[in-house]
Amino acid sequence: MTQFLLAWWPLFVLIQLPWIASKVAHTLYMRAKSRLDHATPDTLPETAGQWLERKVAVLGLGVRSIVTDDRAKFSRNAYHIDELKIQLTEDVYFKRDPAFWAIAAHELGHARFRIGQPRLARMIFWLARVEAMLVSLGLALGLGNMLYGLPHVTNVAFVLLAVALGLHVVTIVEEMIASAFAFDALKREAHLTPAHLRNVRVVLFLALMTYLASFAGHAMLLAAWSIVESNTTQVPVVVSTLTTFGAVLVVVWSVIAAMSGVSQLLDLASWSRWPTVRFAFILADAASIVALPSLLWLLWDVRAEPAYAWCVMLAAVAAIRMITGGAALVFSIPFLFVRRFFRDAFRGIEGIGIERSDVFLADVKAGAGLTKAGNAEIERIIKRNSGRSSWVFRLSRVLVLPLLALYWLL
């Protein structure tokens, strides 16, 4: 196992590259936005939220805007396509600053594009789901075949990740379209000076760079794929046996994983269940966060034949986020440790946050009712969508069932 971990650590670093690249780009975005905000007084006649509501009414989009703060369960700037709602954070909604008008205009751009091109928007939605599935499958096969060394599997994983990277271009194009709509709308505003519009361009460009940085990180992963290929078969699987305690754990984790997989299969078939059974499946889904990676850890070296190896790698698709999340935790702990002791330095790098001017604080206070209503609305949206896991997620959970059948029945 020591050899295995030594062989894997370069790949774990590579997997973090998209996150690292997007984090750096996001830091630059936040720093620039903070600098522009403090350099530009909050003197515009409307807050970003008021401007957004006025533009929505003029365009007749049938979209509502809501504002949320840190007390909400989910607070970010986003367009919720199924709800026809544009969500803005409190820091954006109540700012009278062109940098924050740009953020509101960008989300309005998403709404205009998706409402104006419903078929294209739906295609982009499904392509994003396919991209997520290809990434999970490619990583599971790439990581898994470092254990088994099956012929051609690593090449298949590379192709899947390359196709996913190509599909990510669609997301970047949509972001560019939304930003183009945003700038077109703002350049028509008489209250925005050329200096204001320069701020708008900077904010929109740096926001786009966060997506381009993630794309570049994924491209770097593929460019360094030779590391994965060179490590394949260096740690061949040696068939092992389970201890008594390990066998008990396999039974427990198998029951939980099977219940989770069956529940997702039933969801795919839209088959209603009794409340008690439904509750048991919900508990199994929650427990599977621990059960799935633990089960894979125990069963990966129990057999070495190709059919079994394929089942292990496919089952890893369901747990790939947990596996990569665990790897990310290893690298994030040192970062958090350093950040704690060098907090002032990091604050200087990330910027000092938004300018909490008197007019901004007055607008926040006057709009407290809107924020409270927005927090309640986003909670209702979360509850409505809590039972609608995507078909990609449900299908990935089903992939654990062939492994369980092969292990227990054959």
Side-chain angles (χ1 to χ4, degrees), residues 80-142:
H80 301 279
I81 184 171
D82 293 329
E83 308 290 338
L84 291 177
K85 290 183 177 64
I86 296 176
Q87 178 187 4
L88 297 179
T89 62
E90 180 182 71
D91 290 349
V92 172
Y93 191 95
F94 294 112
K95 284 292 289 184
R96 298 172 182 263
D97 185 286
F100 296 86
W101 278 32
I103 298 171
H106 179 81
E107 299 307 330
L108 177 61
H110 279 299
R112 290 177 61 187
F113 171 70
R114 295 185 180 184
I115 292 174
Q117 303 290 337
R119 293 183 179 178
L120 188 56
R122 184 55 55 181
M123 183 191 73
I124 292 174
F125 173 84
W126 286 111
L127 287 178
R129 297 300 183 271
V130 172
E131 177 192 345
M133 187 65 180
L134 291 178
V135 169
S136 297
L137 185 57
L139 288 178
L141 293 180

Side-chain angles (χ1 to χ4, degrees), residues 162-317:
V163 173
L165 183 64
L167 292 179
H168 192 65
V169 174
V170 177
T171 300
I172 294 175
V173 170
E174 186 191 357
E175 292 297 324
M176 294 175 66
I177 292 173
S179 291
F181 277 145
F183 188 76
D184 181 68
L186 290 176
K187 74 179 183 181
R188 301 174 188 273
E189 293 292 330
H191 299 290
L192 296 185
T193 66
H196 288 156
L197 291 177
R198 282 196 297 271
N199 291 359
V200 168
R201 280 194 293 266
V202 170
V203 169
L204 292 177
F205 173 75
L206 290 177
L208 178 63
M209 285 300 297
T210 61
Y211 290 90
L212 293 174
S214 178
F215 179 89
H218 281 94
M220 291 173 65
L221 169 61
L222 293 179
W225 195 250
S226 59
I227 296 177
V228 180
E229 294 175 332
S230 64
N231 285 336
T232 301
T233 72
Q234 285 189 10
V235 189
V237 168
V238 177
V239 176
S240 64
T241 57
L242 295 169
T243 64
T244 302
F245 179 68
V248 172
L249 286 179
V250 166
V251 172
V252 174
W253 298 146
S254 294
V255 171
I256 294 174
M259 290 181 64
S260 176
V262 170
S263 71
Q264 304 304 327
L265 189 62
L266 295 178
D267 275 345
L268 285 170
S270 301
W271 188 37
S272 61
R273 295 176 292 279
W274 293 303
T276 304
V277 177
R278 176 67 173 172
F279 181 70
F281 280 141
I282 291 175
L283 288 180
D285 284 339
S288 67
I289 296 175
V290 175
L292 282 175
S294 301
L295 185 65
L296 290 170
W297 180 268
L298 291 168
L299 296 186
W300 74 267
D301 61 347
V302 173
R303 299 183 187 179
E305 60 264 26
Y308 185 80
W310 271 103
C311 285
V312 172
M313 289 186 289
L314 290 176
V317 174

